[in-house]
Amino acid sequence: MERLKSNGGEHINPAYDSTLDEPPVYEEANFSNGEHRAVRASVVSAFGHDTLDRVPNIDFYRNAGSMSGHRAVRPSLQELHDVFQKNGAISVLDTAEDDGDGSDGTPSNDLESAVPTDDSEGAVKFGWIRGVLVRCMLNIWGVMLFIRLSWVFGQAGWGLGIVVIALSCVVTTITGLSMSAICTNGVVRGGGAYYLISRSLGPEFGGSIGLIFAFANAVAVAMYVVGFAETVVDLLKDNDAIMVDEINDIRIVGCITVVLLLALSVAGMEWEAKAQILLLVVLLVAIANVFVGTVIPATTDKKSKGFFNYDSKVFLENFTPSFTENENFFSVFSIFFPAATGILAGANISGDLRDPQAAIPKGTLLAILITGITYLAVGICVSATVVREATGNITDIITAGVSCNGSAVAACELGWNFSSCAVEKCEYGSLNNNQVMTMVSGFGPLIIAGTFSATLSSALASLVSAPKVFQALCKDNIYKILHFFAKGYGKNNEPIRGYVLTFIISVAFILVGNLNTIAPIISNFFLASYALVNFSCFHASYAKSPGWRPAYKYYNMWLSLLGALLCCVVMFVINWWAALITYGIEILLYIYVKVKKPDVNWGSSTQAVTFVSAVNNALSLSGVEDHVKNFRPQILALSGSARARPALLDLAHSLSKNYGLCLSCEVFVGPRSEALEEMNAGMEKNQLWLQKTKRKAFYAAVTCDNFREGTKCLLQASGLGRMKPNTLMVGFQRNWRTASTEAVQNYVGILHDAFDFEYGTVMLRMDQGLDVSHIVEAEEEMLKAAKEQQALDNEMMSNGGKARGLFRKSRKSSQQVLTTRVSVCGPPPPQVAKMNERLLEASAQFYKKQPKGTIDVWWLFDDGGLTLLLPYILTTRKKWKDSKLRIFIAGQPGRCELDKQEMKSLLHKFRITCSDINVIDDIHVQPRADSLKKLEEMIKPFCLHEGSKDTAQAEAMRKEQPWKITDKELSTFEEKTNLQVRLNEVLQENSKSANLIVVSMPIARKGSVSDFLYMAWLDILTKDLPPTLVIRGNHKSVLTFYS
């Protein structure tokens, strides 16, 4: 409960001159880009006088170990505030130090904090054109452009075909706007969609989507490669060059292609980028070839296959939809939409971009615009030149005088009779022929080259994206088993291990996978990523966190929400069972990460929304009056540090659990300047310990010159609105007979203050004691020594381990550190060690499941029902479910049965069950002589014994020692004193074997009962008993039998 002073002077900030006698020294800072800059320790030139204050500088806002420059250290507030009040070094925390407990070995758990590698200066970084625009265009321009686009416009007509493309572009554009907003709200590192989502929504959403997004990209490699292999095998088939059979040839070509693509990727991003440029050139030539072909006069052969150059009749006929059997708008849309899902190709390599914040928005949105216009232009050109169905027979020419009606009117008016297609299936036309683009183009082989380019570029983009995203996920150590894949190699930190894993997955699916079945799931995986990108933007905007300040302003939170909903709808449109599988996998991964609770803090919008919700709920609760039915114990436990009194904290936690407020409170006593430092250092540490040990409590601390005054502050100021503590929980002060007078007065004063502030008061006594802080401190000292030893060992190991003698020497010196540290404390004597062992065992008593037994409740005084309610709450907890309530009440001789029936009726109305009700009718009996003798020996050193003195001398003694127990006081409160002694005798007789005893707390009237007499009452009442709770409510009802 009490910490007397801090161990100041241990942390010295090197960023300012501690002597204060000379002007501060300028320090050289080395940056990762080779720049050397003097960090000014004073700013004389700016203000005209010497000051430790610094002018604003970006280096003050970097994470420790930032890749873009070293973090500078600004003077702390304590340094500026205390600098002229102290001589010599100032005791402050070193703001440049970090605890090193990061998910990736980095202080801030962020890729921004990754320590730059020595060869990072030679890393290849891309601009927005090569890095984002080219990749996105290549990924969006897939085989759909050359094989299926004509079919889409044939089915839907160019009217609905425009709607299909426009709707797809709306979804991708909204996603692009949302992504642009997120990208420009801070530094973006490697990881693409995973990085954006995880930093916005937190590790639960990021970890779940990151894994399935990386997997989707890996399988997409197989899909694109199989598409390429099928085209190659078709060419082999046309030329009678099949190697084995069609299926095995696809597998052979596919595996060879993946190996070549892997080699290209592993060779480095520069080579991969050059290959992408080459593929883009081929693709652009192929697209241009289509437009050129539409203006080249059609040959008779082409006309027989449905191609007539630009013609208004064909164009108008193709306006309306003509869905064939089992097709509709949504089925056509579901086939086209996956072609638009390549917009994250640039974001996925965000770690390889020179300026991701500028490149991703510009490149992605421009790629959506260019590809959208291209799809529309190609689709409309095909609709204006190609009829839906054609026979391919050059003899199907209309003879003069035949009227044109029914089907194929446009072709009929142009002199061709394709009416037979209405009754039998034709092979040509936009509805039937997947090679329409080859026919339309000026040079057919270029379309095949374009198809190759589209499939290979998409496969290459996915092959690069999957390992990059997966590496970022593994670096964050969200899934600890996958941390092996976090390691990068070379100047670009290439994820070679990730490449190998992606290669294995893609080859496996090429060899054994049914890609037609898995394709909808992969499309849904990508759409789930888009949905979360949109939702991330909406969520961050909705939270209205001051940290949400995107430089890109052209977004709207409701538009982002619409985009997220559209993505979810499209998932079901594409394939409802694939959507359900996607949601199921994502939910399972979300739950896994949620349960594992990775040790990361990225300032997500989820935290911001949780905070806003908590504030709103607290405010709404403040407008509602308390009601007895909703009373629950809100406990303020004076536990000291969170680890100091585990038994007290565990019992408090059992009472509040997840349903009430529990505060673990500590008062730091001493000079504020010293105590503040220690308090601030321990705040986060104690709260983290509570979370790690799953104790649902808050840690609160105050500094004060006096322990009682500090507790007063906690009693008055703790809590928020209706969420204020209403019950004080303290441990019994076992050493009150040897403690100072001030300590005893403070302890009893705290109980008086609790009554004054109308708190319910609970005091816990255990024979072994509660305070284990001395054991905790010794354990921490040992851990600190072990860490120092490990650090020395690592330092010597880093020298290469070549000189074994040197290594052994370092081992000896590091062992010396441990020996020295331990020898300071010294091993405790056997008797003390035994006591500590019993104390530790007792301190864990309430953390374990309680054995079968009873909770004996001695409800002697009506205090509003708190003495009864708290033990009842304990019996509802899993740890105490085998403990039954036994109720003990005081009764008058001769009416025990009547008192028992009355209590039974009252408990029945309260709906509280108990195993037994006992009426004690001999409490008023005089206690035994030996019991009274124990009390007399207990209070003897604190009695004034003024009765044998004359009046003047007695008065002088009272003035000199006002805290002592006077003879008059003993006489006045003799009956009440004897009652405590007698109660202990009755407790010994009836409750010696109970798991827990709960007894009503006697109240000492202020100004009448001295502090030492009151402590004697509490001591004799609870002496030599099992764990005992002494409880007094605030005499306001906490139980009711009304509904």
Side-chain angles (χ1 to χ4, degrees):
M1 282 192 297
E2 186 172 355
R3 304 290 291 272
L4 295 179
K5 61 182 179 179
S6 65
N7 47 353
E10 187 173 332
H11 302 286
I12 304 298
N13 189 340
Y16 75 103
D17 182 33
S18 60
T19 63
L20 308 178
D21 296 328
E22 300 174 355
V25 180
Y26 283 64
E27 295 181 357
E28 286 289 319
N30 297 316
F31 294 86
S32 58
N33 57 7
E35 180 185 354
H36 296 273
R37 190 188 310 165
V39 178
R40 294 186 299 167
S42 63
V43 282
V44 180
S45 59
F47 300 106
H49 68 279
D50 197 359
T51 173
L52 287 181
D53 263 327
R54 306 295 205 282
V55 293
N57 189 298
I58 188 174
D59 295 331
F60 293 137
Y61 297 90
R62 298 190 192 281
N63 287 333
S66 169
M67 294 167 65
S68 49
H70 292 293
R71 181 175 70 170
V73 183
R74 71 169 66 85
S76 69
L77 188 61
Q78 287 89 345
E79 290 170 358
L80 294 174
H81 193 219
D82 297 346
V83 70
F84 296 114
Q85 300 175 15
K86 295 185 177 182
N87 295 320
I90 297 176
S91 173
V92 293
L93 288 173
D94 184 352
T95 54
E97 290 290 331
D98 292 280
D99 57 10
D101 295 331
S103 63
D104 186 28
T106 57
S108 69
N109 299 333
D110 202 334
L111 291 176
E112 161 68 10
S113 301
V115 179
T117 55
D118 295 336
D119 51 2
S120 61
E121 291 179 10
V124 177
K125 296 293 183 181
F126 301 110
W128 71 275
I129 294 177
R130 289 180 67 191
V132 182
L133 180 64
V134 169
R135 291 173 185 279
C136 287
M137 287 196 303
L138 284 171
N139 229 21
I140 297 172
W141 281 333
V143 290
M144 174 66 67
L145 184 63
F146 299 112
I147 294 177
R148 299 290 274 173
L149 185 63
S150 58
W151 179 88
V152 168
F153 273 72
Q155 290 281 350
W158 62 266
L160 285 182
I162 291 173
V163 173
V164 167
I165 294 176
L167 188 57
S168 301
C169 288
V170 164
V171 174
T172 55
T173 301
I174 293 174
T175 306
L177 293 173
S178 300
M179 185 168 61
S180 300
I182 298 170
C183 285
T184 57
N185 192 53
V187 175
V188 177
R189 295 299 177 196
Y194 159 72
Y195 185 89
L196 300 179
I197 293 169
S198 62
R199 269 49 176 186
S200 295
L201 293 178
E204 295 86 3
F205 283 105
S208 58
I209 203 65
L211 199 58
I212 66 174
F213 185 71
F215 176 76
N217 273 287
V219 178
V221 174
M223 291 174 59
Y224 293 129
V225 167
V226 166
F228 168 76
E230 284 176 347
T231 310
V232 173
V233 170
D234 284 341
L235 290 176
L236 293 176
K237 186 178 177 183
D238 292 341
N239 293 280
D240 294 326
I242 294 291
M243 292 176 282
V244 183
D245 55 57
E246 285 190 38
I247 294 176
N248 285 314
D249 280 11
I250 289 172
R251 290 171 177 167
I252 293 168
V253 173
C255 290
I256 293 171
T257 305
V258 172
V259 170
L260 294 174
L261 292 177
L262 177 67
L264 189 61
S265 301
V266 172
M269 289 296 292
E270 184 67 26
W271 284 98
E272 186 265 350
K274 288 176 181 176
Q276 293 280 26
I277 294 293
L278 177 64
L279 293 172
L280 177 65
V281 170
V282 173
L283 199 53
L284 288 173
V285 171
I287 293 171
N289 183 41
V290 173
F291 292 116
V292 170
T294 58
V295 296
I296 296 175
T299 63
T300 303
D301 182 59
K302 285 189 176 182
K303 287 181 180 180
S304 69
K305 293 177 181 177
F307 173 64
F308 295 99
N309 295 112
Y310 291 102
D311 190 278
S312 59
K313 300 181 185 67
V314 175
F315 189 55
L316 289 174
E317 185 180 73
N318 285 335
F319 173 73
T320 55
S322 178
F323 295 115
T324 56
E325 189 179 353
N326 299 325
E327 300 295 348
N328 54 47
F329 174 80
F330 294 107
S331 66
V332 171
F333 176 78
S334 67
I335 287 171
F336 173 81
F337 186 80
T341 57
I343 63 170
L344 293 180
N348 287 340
I349 62 159
S350 53
D352 296 296
L353 299 177
R354 195 176 300 119
D355 184 5
Q357 290 177 280
I360 293 174
K362 194 188 303 181
T364 304
L365 292 172
L366 189 56
I368 293 171
L369 178 64
I370 292 172
T371 53
I373 291 172
T374 305
Y375 273 121
L376 281 173
V378 172
I380 289 172
C381 285
V382 171
S383 298
T385 58
V386 182
V387 295
R388 285 192 170 103
E389 292 189 297
T391 60
N393 190 347
I394 59 174
T395 62
D396 289 340
I397 300 174
I398 297 290
T399 57
V402 176
S403 62
C404 295
N405 49 39
S407 61
V409 175
C412 178
E413 291 177 354
L414 291 170
W416 290 85
N417 181 14
F418 297 149
S419 57
S420 61
C421 294
V423 293
E424 61 183 31
K425 186 169 179 61
C426 294
E427 293 184 9
Y428 297 97
S430 58
L431 284 179
N432 306 315
N433 184 12
N434 287 338
Q435 301 300 325
V436 165
M437 294 300 179
T438 306
M439 177 185 68
V440 170
S441 66
F443 183 60
L446 274 179
I447 299 301
I448 297 173
T451 305
F452 287 172
S453 174
T455 51
L456 290 177
S457 61
S458 297
L460 192 56
S462 297
L463 185 58
V464 170
S465 297
K468 295 280 185 183
V469 173
F470 192 58
Q471 182 187 35
L473 174 68
C474 297
K475 274 188 174 182
D476 288 333
N477 212 11
I478 291 175
Y479 303 100
K480 295 187 184 301
I481 196 172
L482 301 176
H483 193 64
F484 171 79
F485 296 98
K487 184 173 176 58
Y489 297 86
K491 60 185 180 183
N492 265 48
N493 196 31
E494 293 291 346
I496 304 297
R497 295 172 179 177
Y499 281 129
V500 172
L501 181 63
T502 304
F503 170 76
I504 292 170
I505 292 172
S506 57
V507 168
F509 276 95
I510 288 170
L511 294 177
V512 298
N514 187 346
L515 295 183
N516 290 332
T517 303
I518 203 169
I521 300 177
I522 301 308
S523 296
N524 274 307
F525 280 2
F526 286 124
L527 275 167
S529 307
Y530 294 177
L532 281 180
V533 168
N534 282 304
F535 186 72
S536 298
C537 183
F538 164 76
H539 206 254
S541 304
Y542 176 76
K544 290 183 170 57
S545 171
W548 173 248
R549 302 184 302 276
Y552 188 85
K553 301 297 182 184
Y554 304 104
Y555 72 96
N556 180 277
M557 61 183 285
W558 301 112
L559 196 62
S560 296
L561 180 61
L562 175 64
L565 294 174
L566 280 175
C567 288
C568 294
V569 170
V570 171
M571 288 172 70
F572 281 95
V573 168
I574 290 176
N575 192 298
W576 65 267
W577 58 262
L580 292 177
I581 290 173
T582 302
Y583 286 129
I585 293 172
E586 194 171 333
I587 289 168
L588 287 174
L589 291 173
Y590 178 92
I591 293 171
Y592 174 83
V593 178
K594 189 79 174 174
V595 169
K596 288 296 182 181
K597 289 185 173 59
D599 187 19
V600 293
N601 182 8
W602 295 320
S604 66
S605 60
T606 307
Q607 295 173 349
V609 169
T610 303
F611 179 83
V612 171
S613 300
V615 171
N616 289 334
N617 288 336
L619 287 171
S620 62
L621 199 60
S622 297
V624 181
E625 276 193 47
D626 289 331
H627 194 281
V628 62
K629 284 198 297 183
N630 291 326
F631 175 87
R632 61 189 68 221
Q634 317 268 39
I635 296 175
L636 189 155
L638 288 179
S639 61
S641 73
R643 299 179 64 185
R645 292 168 178 79
L648 183 74
L649 187 58
D650 287 336
L651 197 57
H653 178 242
S654 293
L655 292 169
S656 62
K657 202 70 174 175
N658 300 332
Y659 314 109
L661 182 68
C662 181
L663 297 177
S664 170
C665 298
E666 182 172 13
V667 178
F668 289 86
V669 178
R672 189 172 62 177
S673 57
E674 295 180 7
L676 263 176
E677 182 184 333
E678 189 177 0
M679 183 185 79
N680 292 337
M683 289 291 283
E684 188 176 358
K685 177 181 167 186
N686 281 287
Q687 189 62 54
L688 280 173
W689 184 84
L690 288 171
Q691 290 173 356
K692 284 181 179 177
T693 55
K694 297 183 180 178
R695 290 171 168 91
K696 309 290 185 182
F698 298 97
Y699 174 77
V702 294
T703 64
C704 215
D705 296 330
N706 177 287
F707 181 66
R708 181 180 178 184
E709 290 303 315
T711 307
K712 266 188 187 178
C713 294
L714 289 168
L715 289 170
Q716 293 179 86
S718 295
L720 185 70
R722 296 286 180 193
M723 292 188 297
K724 290 176 69 71
N726 54 30
T727 306
L728 173 68
M729 194 165 183
V730 297
F732 177 68
Q733 188 174 12
R734 294 172 69 233
N735 67 339
W736 68 274
R737 283 186 282 175
T738 57
S740 65
T741 303
E742 183 186 7
V744 175
Q745 289 174 333
N746 278 338
Y747 182 83
V748 176
I750 287 168
L751 300 179
H752 285 307
D753 293 336
F755 295 141
D756 287 343
F757 297 136
E758 295 191 333
Y759 271 69
T761 306
V762 180
M763 186 192 77
L764 173 64
R765 178 170 186 177
M766 298 177 70
D767 272 351
Q768 296 85 355
L770 297 169
D771 190 0
V772 298
S773 57
H774 59 288
I775 301 174
V776 171
E777 285 173 7
E779 181 185 320
E780 287 178 347
E781 193 71 16
M782 289 289 291
L783 285 172
K784 192 173 181 181
K787 278 187 178 180
E788 287 185 13
Q789 175 188 355
Q790 186 65 39
L792 279 172
D793 288 347
N794 291 342
E795 185 180 347
M796 301 309 287
M797 287 274 283
S798 65
N799 290 335
K802 294 177 182 177
R804 291 194 173 185
L806 181 64
F807 175 72
R808 285 176 183 153
K809 186 177 179 182
S810 76
R811 185 80 179 179
K812 183 178 177 182
S813 63
S814 62
Q815 193 65 36
Q816 235 173 9
V817 172
L818 186 60
T819 308
T820 306
R821 186 68 62 89
V822 174
S823 64
V824 171
C825 306
Q831 186 180 357
V832 176
K834 191 69 175 174
M835 286 175 59
N836 286 343
E837 188 180 336
R838 285 201 300 267
L839 176 58
L840 282 174
E841 187 178 343
S843 69
Q845 180 172 340
F846 299 131
Y847 192 71
K848 301 178 292 188
K849 189 177 187 299
Q850 300 301 302
K852 282 188 177 181
T854 62
I855 299 176
D856 288 359
V857 182
W858 292 73
W859 195 16
L860 304 176
F861 313 110
D862 194 327
D863 58 352
L866 189 67
T867 307
L868 180 62
L869 179 63
L870 293 186
Y872 165 74
I873 290 174
L874 282 179
T875 61
T876 65
R877 308 304 189 214
K878 191 181 294 184
K879 290 177 185 175
W880 292 84
K881 69 176 183 178
D882 293 332
S883 298
K884 306 298 181 184
L885 284 183
R886 286 200 304 173
I887 309 296
F888 293 83
I889 58 172
Q892 299 176 15
R895 50 169 292 160
C896 289
E897 196 57 39
L898 183 60
D899 289 340
K900 183 174 181 178
Q901 288 303 320
E902 287 179 355
M903 178 54 63
K904 187 176 182 180
S905 173
L906 181 60
L907 291 175
H908 178 71
K909 287 184 176 181
F910 284 152
R911 289 94 59 203
I912 293 176
T913 56
C914 64
S915 62
D916 194 14
I917 298 174
N918 297 277
V919 181
I920 310 298
D921 61 356
D922 59 349
I923 291 180
H924 63 283
V925 175
Q926 185 74 7
R928 297 191 302 270
D930 61 322
S931 301
L932 286 173
K933 187 172 179 60
K934 287 180 184 177
L935 175 69
E936 289 170 8
E937 290 175 356
M938 189 183 291
I939 63 174
K940 186 176 180 180
F942 311 107
C943 290
L944 192 61
H945 301 297
E946 85 286 5
S948 58
K949 312 293 180 182
D950 58 56
T951 307
Q953 196 174 1
E955 188 64 29
M957 289 174 68
R958 277 194 292 268
K959 285 184 178 179
E960 186 179 347
Q961 297 175 312
W963 46 269
K964 283 202 169 183
I965 306 169
T966 63
D967 292 344
K968 181 182 178 183
E969 182 184 354
L970 277 176
S971 174
T972 304
F973 296 103
E974 182 180 2
E975 287 185 0
K976 198 164 185 177
T977 303
N978 289 346
L979 174 63
Q980 313 311 318
V981 180
R982 176 58 186 158
L983 278 173
N984 180 261
E985 291 178 349
V986 177
L987 285 164
Q988 296 277 2
E989 292 169 10
N990 294 276
S991 299
K992 191 69 175 174
S993 60
N995 287 346
L996 181 70
I997 298 174
V998 178
V999 62
S1000 295
M1001 178 184 285
I1003 290 183
R1005 195 176 293 277
K1006 283 194 297 185
S1008 300
V1009 179
S1010 64
D1011 296 332
F1012 281 93
L1013 180 59
Y1014 187 45
M1015 287 302 298
W1017 287 357
L1018 297 174
D1019 195 347
I1020 200 67
L1021 173 65
T1022 57
K1023 194 173 182 62
D1024 299 326
L1025 291 172
T1028 304
L1029 276 181
V1030 187
I1031 300 177
R1032 174 68 71 155
N1034 62 3
H1035 286 249
K1036 293 180 181 178
S1037 294
V1038 298
L1039 292 170
T1040 180
F1041 46 78
Y1042 296 106
S1043 60

